[in-house]
Amino acid sequence: MAIPWRPGSHGPPFLAPLLAWACLLLAAAVPAADSPFERPAELERDVQFWVRIYTEVSTDQGLLHDDWNLAVVYEKLDFGRDQSPRERSRIIDREKARYRALLARFAAGDTANLDEDEQRILKSFGDTASPAVFRDAMDGVRFQLGQANRFREGLMRAGIWESHIARTLSQRGVPAEVAALPHVESSFNPAAYSKVGAAGLWQFMPSTARRYMRVDSLVDERMDPFTATEAAANLMLYNYRLLGSWPLAITAYNHGPGGLLKAQTDLGTSNIATIVRRYNGATFGFASRNFYVAFLAALEVDRNAEKYFGHIPKQPDAESTTVELPDYVPISALSGAFKVDLGALRALNPALRPPIWNGARFAFVVITAHGVHPTGVGRKGEAAGTGWPGVSPGKQRNEVLVPVGHASEAGFDLQAPVNQATGLLATAQKGFVTGEVVVPQAVIPGHGGRCEQGVPAFCDPVQFKADMRRMVDELSAV
């Protein structure tokens, strides 16, 4: 079997892969028949490279490898936890130089007196590799930091949002497998920022995010895992409708749909393996070329987590229900009502940007038994919206923002929705920021058996809504 070479290189290297690779390709994992994400045998060596990165190599380690043939791994580097990034960079640069010198020897035909490790590297290129192949490889020595510990942490965090992600993908007709993509993008870290400006669980760039979310000086919804999940599903569906292929839709999430359309046109195919191996677009570099195989590896590890990591104690998911308040609420009022200091609220609500926290603006938020969800902002003194949206028992959110204990201390039992709304609006006065209070389903009419506990206010949804409207009207008249 011939392994494709770098586009524009001097010919096909690696024409004699090791027998182990041949066996691996024959036994390559194939997705279920109804899965839209093919796993071509030609890409299996790359999938296995990323499985290794995600499960065996930690962030205190990394692999020096060929940037095209991921079966060629020169060395696994180990770093001390006390080593600075600068020290690590020096080690990486030194080792890269050493392997480039070795490849120059191979290119010059000097293959005598090799030690065992050097023989292994030479053999990984195959018996027919030409001097030109080794010269090309000199420019392709690359370092990949390990991700195993981050992947495991991501598996634990994923439990918080799994049900919301699954529900959102299903509602939009996006394959369930896409739920594994945040492992590649952010390790399920909603606060993640990349060096190029991508942010959040789904790593949206600002320009793309603004097509689906609010991103400005006051609110950055990329940092809200729930809103960002809905945006990611919409973007993925857009990519699929444009490209007609789910593997290409995944790749376009990284490279952009325009770039993949060009690849389809240039190569005359939608075959993902052909595009990954043969497309030579100016910006179709290592990250884009490996995005789909990294996704397949993440999907493999996610679905077989215990095989790779043992038992994973996932963080729990919690549902909540929304009660909307038609007036402005300052952050300080929320802090007081929930008995949570502003620092804790800020750490738990990263979508609200500094002007909200320093008092220059007031947040239009969703307060949950587990958190606060930003949905808009207003200036101090701005008029509140009119109308009373009422109770929305069907609106589900999985916020993990304000600790449950604080919600309980704030009185989220029995008459708490009325009491909390009264307290927040009384503190806010008129003309601050409108908000939505999200409380446990147990305190909403028809949810959780409050009638059985002898609390009449929770037996009649119509009466509950009328009581809330009367309370707001009374406050507005003050």
Side-chain angles (χ1 to χ4, degrees):
M1 182 200 70
I3 300 179
W5 57 96
R6 293 177 176 82
S9 74
H10 292 85
F14 325 128
L15 291 180
L18 298 178
L19 178 61
W21 273 108
C23 294
L24 180 59
L25 292 178
L26 289 173
V30 177
D34 58 350
S35 173
F37 296 103
E38 59 180 307
R39 187 163 162 175
E42 307 96 294
L43 300 181
E44 187 63 22
R45 66 165 202 211
D46 299 13
V47 175
Q48 293 303 318
F49 173 87
W50 289 104
V51 168
R52 184 179 179 188
I53 289 295
Y54 290 149
T55 63
E56 298 178 17
V57 188
S58 77
T59 52
D60 289 322
Q61 302 169 315
L63 300 183
L64 278 178
H65 64 94
D66 183 81
D67 71 344
W68 190 259
N69 182 359
L70 300 187
V72 177
V73 175
Y74 299 107
E75 183 181 1
K76 179 181 178 181
L77 300 181
D78 292 280
F79 305 110
R81 293 198 172 185
D82 57 345
Q83 286 181 311
S84 68
R86 180 175 295 181
E87 290 174 315
R88 293 186 178 197
S89 293
R90 282 199 294 264
I91 293 171
I92 293 168
D93 290 342
R94 183 189 68 215
E95 292 304 300
K96 282 184 176 180
R98 184 164 74 88
Y99 286 108
R100 289 191 187 106
L102 178 62
L103 291 167
R105 283 181 57 191
F106 294 165
D110 181 6
T111 58
N113 301 316
L114 301 178
D115 64 28
E116 184 177 346
D117 200 50
E118 292 169 340
Q119 291 177 20
R120 173 187 62 81
I121 293 169
L122 177 63
K123 188 176 182 180
S124 69
F125 281 88
D127 296 334
T128 62
S130 67
V133 166
F134 295 118
R135 285 194 293 269
D136 286 339
M138 289 173 62
D139 295 326
V141 181
R142 183 183 180 276
F143 174 78
Q144 176 61 50
L145 185 69
Q147 298 292 311
N149 50 319
R150 287 180 182 167
F151 202 103
R152 186 181 186 279
E153 292 165 1
L155 287 167
M156 296 169 65
R157 284 190 293 265
I160 301 170
W161 305 290
E162 278 180 340
S163 64
H164 177 76
I165 292 173
R167 182 166 57 247
T168 300
L169 297 179
S170 176
Q171 289 171 348
R172 286 161 174 76
V174 177
E177 291 91 335
V178 173
L181 190 59
H183 286 300
V184 179
E185 291 286 13
S186 67
S187 298
F188 275 90
N189 177 5
Y193 266 97
S194 79
K195 61 184 179 183
V196 296
L201 196 77
W202 293 89
Q203 288 292 281
F204 273 92
M205 293 293 289
S207 58
T208 304
R210 290 188 181 100
R211 293 164 52 191
Y212 303 98
M213 295 177 281
R214 179 172 183 171
V215 180
D216 56 32
S217 62
L218 300 176
V219 174
D220 187 348
E221 290 185 321
R222 296 179 300 168
M223 312 309 292
D224 171 18
F226 303 99
T227 300
T229 292
E230 292 157 9
N234 289 335
L235 174 57
M236 199 66 69
L237 191 59
Y238 171 83
N239 289 348
Y240 173 72
R241 288 172 174 169
L242 188 67
L243 299 166
S245 159
W246 284 112
L248 294 187
I250 288 285
T251 308
Y253 194 89
N254 172 269
H255 189 65
L260 268 295
L261 275 174
K262 186 176 186 303
Q264 284 179 311
T265 301
D266 288 357
L267 297 178
T269 183
S270 295
N271 182 274
I272 184 64
T274 300
I275 289 174
V276 166
R277 290 289 186 242
R278 301 296 300 273
Y279 184 52
N280 196 25
T283 60
F284 197 71
F286 182 86
S288 297
R289 194 168 66 242
N290 279 271
F291 197 74
Y292 182 65
V293 292
F295 164 73
L296 291 178
L299 183 61
E300 158 76 18
V301 178
D302 180 80
R303 293 194 164 181
N304 299 279
E306 290 201 7
K307 169 185 172 182
Y308 294 103
F309 294 109
H311 175 65
I312 301 292
K314 290 196 173 186
Q315 295 184 30
D317 177 18
E319 297 292 346
S320 54
T321 300
T322 302
V323 178
E324 300 179 1
L325 299 178
D327 211 333
Y328 286 105
V329 181
I331 289 293
S332 58
L334 305 183
S335 175
F338 282 98
K339 299 184 177 72
V340 179
D341 65 76
L342 288 176
L345 279 177
R346 184 169 186 171
L348 294 168
N349 293 274
L352 295 181
R353 304 192 76 173
I356 302 298
W357 301 102
N358 64 25
R361 297 289 188 272
F362 292 96
F364 175 19
V365 300
V366 174
I367 312 164
T368 81
H370 307 280
V372 179
H373 169 68
T375 58
V377 295
R379 293 180 179 84
K380 183 183 291 187
E382 221 173 54
T386 58
W388 171 242
V391 180
S392 309
K395 185 174 181 180
Q396 301 297 318
R397 283 209 171 273
N398 308 330
E399 308 299 338
V400 182
L401 300 164
V402 175
V404 176
H406 291 293
S408 178
E409 291 170 11
F412 271 90
D413 281 327
L414 308 178
Q415 199 66 20
V418 175
N419 294 340
Q420 285 298 300
T422 303
L424 291 175
L425 290 174
T427 303
Q429 304 296 330
K430 292 174 64 177
F432 286 156
V433 177
T434 255
E436 295 179 335
V437 177
V438 181
V439 299
Q441 290 182 357
V443 302
I444 297 301
H447 292 270
R450 291 303 188 186
C451 292
E452 289 80 353
Q453 296 182 22
V455 186
F458 294 93
C459 300
D460 185 352
V462 175
Q463 184 60 46
F464 181 86
K465 182 175 179 178
D467 291 342
M468 292 292 283
R469 175 184 281 279
R470 184 178 66 254
M471 176 201 68
V472 172
D473 290 343
E474 290 172 356
L475 284 168
S476 299
V478 174

